Amino acid sequence: MSERASPEPEHSRRRDAFAAEAERLDGLATRISFARLALFLVAGTMLAAAFAERSLAMGSVGLASIAIFAAAIVWHARVFAAKERAEVRREIHDRHLRRIAGHTSELPNGAGAIPDAHPYAGDIDLVGPGSLFERYAVAHTVAGTETLARWLAAPATIEIARARQAAVVELADRRLDTREALEAAVLDSGSEQIDARPFVEFCEGPKVMAGKPALALLVTLLPIVTIALLALSGSVLPAGAWVPVAIVQGLVARQLERRVARAYALVVSRRRFVESYRAILEVAEDMPAEAAALLALKERLNVTGARPSVELARLELWASLFEVRAQGLVHVVINVLLLWDANVLLRLEQWALRAGTKTRAWLETIGELEALASLATMRAIDPGSSMPELADEGELRADALAHPLLPVASRVANDVTIEGPGTALVVTGSNMAGKSTLLRAIGVNVVLALAGGPVSARSMRVPAVRLRASMRIADSLQHGASYFQAELARLRTVIEDADESPPILFLLDELLRGTNARARHRGARAVVLHLLARRAMGIVATHDIALSELEQELDGRVKNFHFTDVLAADGEMIFDYRLRPGVVKTSNALRLLAMAGVEVEPDDKLKD
C-alpha cells in the first residue's frame, strides 16, 4: 500500500492562517479600545459642555457618543472572543504538528486512566509520559478519555472493531473540520479537559421539588401573591400587607438553602462546562457522516424529540439565572420577594426529569466520538499507517511493521508472522539491537487493531487474541517483593485463563531475570511449553540461546529469529534493527562494558 500524502502542509497552512487571523483581530481589538477611549472622552466633554451652556446640540452629540460607546463595548467583546477562538484553533494545529514531529511531552498523557496492574498497558506504553495516549489522544472530556482508555485496555469483538475502522477512516481522511471543531468545543472554554459527572449526579439524583407537586405549586404561587400584595399595599390594602407573606417566603428559602446550594455547586459553578458540552453536541449533530458507526452515534443523540444541544441551551439559560446568588444584597432582596433560588431550582429539576435522564447517554456518545477521533488522528498524521485486516482466528502477520511512537524518518520496519495458536517466535540478539522494541511494536499495533484503529505497517492481519505481556518488572520495597517475586506475579497474569478463548498473544522479554542461569532456562522453557500447550501464541525475546532448541524439539511450531550488530572499522557498534531468521551468533555485552570504561579480564585469566 502506498503512503498517503503527508498531513504536515495542511496543518501548517491552517495553523498559520489562524495565527494571522488572531493577529488581525488583536490589532482590531486594540483600535476599538482606542476608539472606546475617544468616545468616552467625547461623551464626557459634550455632556459637560451641554450642561454648562444649556446646549441641546451638544447634549445630543454626547448621548450619541454614549450609545456608540456602548456598541463599541459589545463589538470589542465579540472581536476579543473571536481572537481567542482563532488562537485555540492555531494551538490545535500546532499540537498536530508536534505530534508529527514526536514532540508531545506537554500534551495530556492519560496517566492513571488504566490501572498499574493491567496485564499489558505498562509494558507497551499505552498511557503516561511518552505513551500512545500522549501522542494521539485528542479527547478533552473525561468521558472521551475513559472511553479511549477502555478501548485500548480490552479488545473489542471483531465485528465492533471493523465497524469502528470505517468511522476512523472517514474521520481521518475526510473530516478534519469535524475533528478540529470537537477539540475547539472544549478548549474554547479555557479548559484542557471537562468532567460532566456533577451534571449526571444532579440529573439522576433525588429531586427536592419536581417530585412534590404541592411544594412546586407553593414556590410558584407565593411570589405572585407577594408582588400583588406589594402593589396594592398603601392603596387598596394596608401598607405592610405584603410583609407576612414575604416572611413566609424567607422561611421557605431558608429551609431550602442547603439543597439549593448543593444544586448550585453541581450546575452553575460548572456553567462553562455546559457551554462546552452544548458545543460538542452541536458538532456531533451537524457532522457529515457516512460510516455506520458514525450514523449510529448521531442516532443515539436523538432521544428527547429535541436536539441535545437545544436541551443544553435551555439548561444553560436556567443556570445563568441561578447566578443571581452571587449578587450579594441584591440576591437577598430578590430571593425573599420572588423565591428566586427555589423557582430556578424547580425549573432545573423539571429539565432534569425531562431531558436530564438522557445525559449519561449523551456523554457516552461524546466519549465514543472523541475516542474515534483519537484513533483517526493516528491515521491522519501517520501517512505510513494502514487499516489492518481483522480475522476471527488464524495467523498474525505484519508486513513492514514499525513502532508508531518512533519518528517516521527513523523507523525500521520488519516483517513478522506468528502462524497461529500453539506457535511462537524466539528472538535472540545483541543488547540494544531491537528485541524489546519489536515486542512493543507488535503489542501496541495489536492493541490499536483490536480497538478499531490503524497500525504502523504496510499491511497487517490480526486475529482475535487476548494480549498479555511480561516486559517491565520492578521490585517493591514498600510491599517487600523481590524482583523475582514481582516477575512471578506478572507471569501469573500471562498464564492465567490461558485455556479460554480467544487465545492469548504473549510477549515475553528476558524471562526470569531474577534468578540464576540454569533456573532461568528451565523456568523459561516451562513457561513457553505451558502456554503453547494451551494454544497461546506469541514471541519470547531472550539472551538464552538454549531456548532456541525448541525449534527442533517442537517440529517448527517455534521459529528462531535474531537481531545483531556490526562493528565498524573505527570500533563503533552499528545496529540496523533488522529481524533475521536463525539464532544470533555474537554477543556485544563485553564490548559494551569496555566502551563504558570497564576492563574485562580475558577468559584465560579467569580461574574456576
Side-chain angles (χ1 to χ4, degrees), residues 10-91:
E10 178 62 14
H11 286 300
S12 295
R13 183 190 69 78
R14 292 194 178 213
R15 178 198 60 187
D16 295 344
F18 282 121
E21 178 68 2
E23 185 176 359
R24 182 188 72 81
L25 291 169
D26 186 59
L28 178 58
T30 300
R31 293 192 293 275
I32 294 172
S33 294
F34 285 120
R36 283 173 55 186
L37 177 60
L39 286 166
F40 180 79
L41 293 175
V42 168
T45 302
M46 289 295 101
L47 290 175
F51 181 78
E53 301 181 16
R54 301 291 191 271
S55 171
L56 180 61
M58 289 183 177
S60 299
V61 172
L63 292 174
S65 299
I66 289 176
I68 298 172
F69 175 76
I73 291 175
V74 175
W75 185 23
H76 186 265
R78 291 179 178 176
V79 169
F80 190 79
K83 184 198 82 165
E84 289 187 324
R85 288 194 296 271
E87 288 176 341
V88 163
R89 284 148 185 79
R90 177 203 57 76
E91 169 65 14

Side-chain angles (χ1 to χ4, degrees), residues 62-135:
L63 292 174
S65 299
I66 289 176
I68 298 172
F69 175 76
I73 291 175
V74 175
W75 185 23
H76 186 265
R78 291 179 178 176
V79 169
F80 190 79
K83 184 198 82 165
E84 289 187 324
R85 288 194 296 271
E87 288 176 341
V88 163
R89 284 148 185 79
R90 177 203 57 76
E91 169 65 14
I92 287 170
H93 293 286
D94 187 63
R95 290 185 182 195
H96 283 308
L97 291 169
R98 280 183 275 162
R99 290 185 178 100
I100 292 170
H103 303 151
T104 58
S105 59
E106 296 180 358
L107 298 183
N109 58 38
I114 300 177
D116 292 340
H118 189 269
Y120 57 80
D123 295 278
I124 60 175
D125 303 308
L126 291 188
V127 295
S131 67
L132 186 78
F133 204 101
E134 179 181 276
R135 184 74 175 272

Side-chain angles (χ1 to χ4, degrees), residues 405-432:
L405 296 184
L406 292 175
V408 174
S410 60
R411 290 177 186 171
V412 177
N414 286 289
D415 298 340
V416 178
T417 299
I418 305 173
E419 295 179 352
T423 68
L425 307 182
V426 171
V427 180
T428 53
S430 305
N431 294 288
M432 304 189 304

Side-chain angles (χ1 to χ4, degrees), residues 207-400:
K207 306 299 182 286
V208 178
M209 288 181 293
K212 300 174 181 177
L215 181 58
L217 183 62
L218 179 67
V219 301
T220 302
L221 293 180
L222 273 178
I224 298 174
V225 173
T226 302
I227 296 302
L229 291 174
L230 183 60
L232 297 174
S233 293
S235 57
V236 177
L237 298 175
W242 61 276
V243 174
V245 182
I247 292 173
V248 171
Q249 289 191 160
L251 294 174
V252 172
R254 181 180 178 84
Q255 184 68 24
L256 294 174
E257 172 58 27
R258 185 169 61 86
R259 294 174 180 177
V260 165
R262 181 174 180 275
Y264 181 86
L266 292 175
V267 179
V268 180
S269 62
R270 295 170 174 83
R271 184 183 163 203
R272 291 297 297 272
F273 290 4
V274 179
E275 297 172 5
S276 294
Y277 278 109
R278 177 180 54 76
I280 295 173
L281 286 166
E282 285 179 347
V283 174
E285 292 160 355
D286 297 334
M287 72 174 176
E290 297 175 10
L294 294 179
L295 291 171
L297 289 179
K298 294 187 69 170
E299 182 63 27
R300 281 165 52 187
L301 294 176
N302 185 23
V303 290
T304 65
R307 286 163 54 108
S309 60
V310 173
E311 293 286 11
L312 281 185
R314 293 168 182 164
L315 173 63
E316 193 177 339
L317 170 63
W318 290 113
S320 66
L321 294 177
F322 221 165
E323 290 185 339
V324 171
R325 283 177 62 86
Q327 301 306 310
L329 184 59
V330 173
H331 166 254
V332 174
V333 174
I334 291 177
N335 199 36
V336 169
L337 289 177
L338 301 178
L339 276 179
W340 186 269
D341 289 349
N343 275 286
V344 173
L345 178 59
L346 174 61
R347 273 61 185 182
L348 286 171
E349 289 186 347
Q350 289 172 338
W351 179 91
L353 287 176
R354 186 189 71 256
T357 55
K358 310 302 181 183
T359 302
R360 188 178 296 275
W362 295 340
L363 299 181
E364 290 173 355
T365 301
I366 290 170
E368 290 187 27
L369 183 57
E370 285 192 308
L372 288 170
S374 296
L375 296 176
T377 296
M378 175 181 168
R379 174 177 170 85
I381 70 173
D382 187 346
S385 65
S386 65
M387 301 308 293
E389 173 192 352
L390 301 176
D392 292 321
E393 57 185 4
E395 69 175 5
L396 187 154
R397 182 188 67 254
D399 300 323

Side-chain angles (χ1 to χ4, degrees), residues 6 506 558 605:
S6 170
F506 58 85
V558 173
K605 290 187 178 182

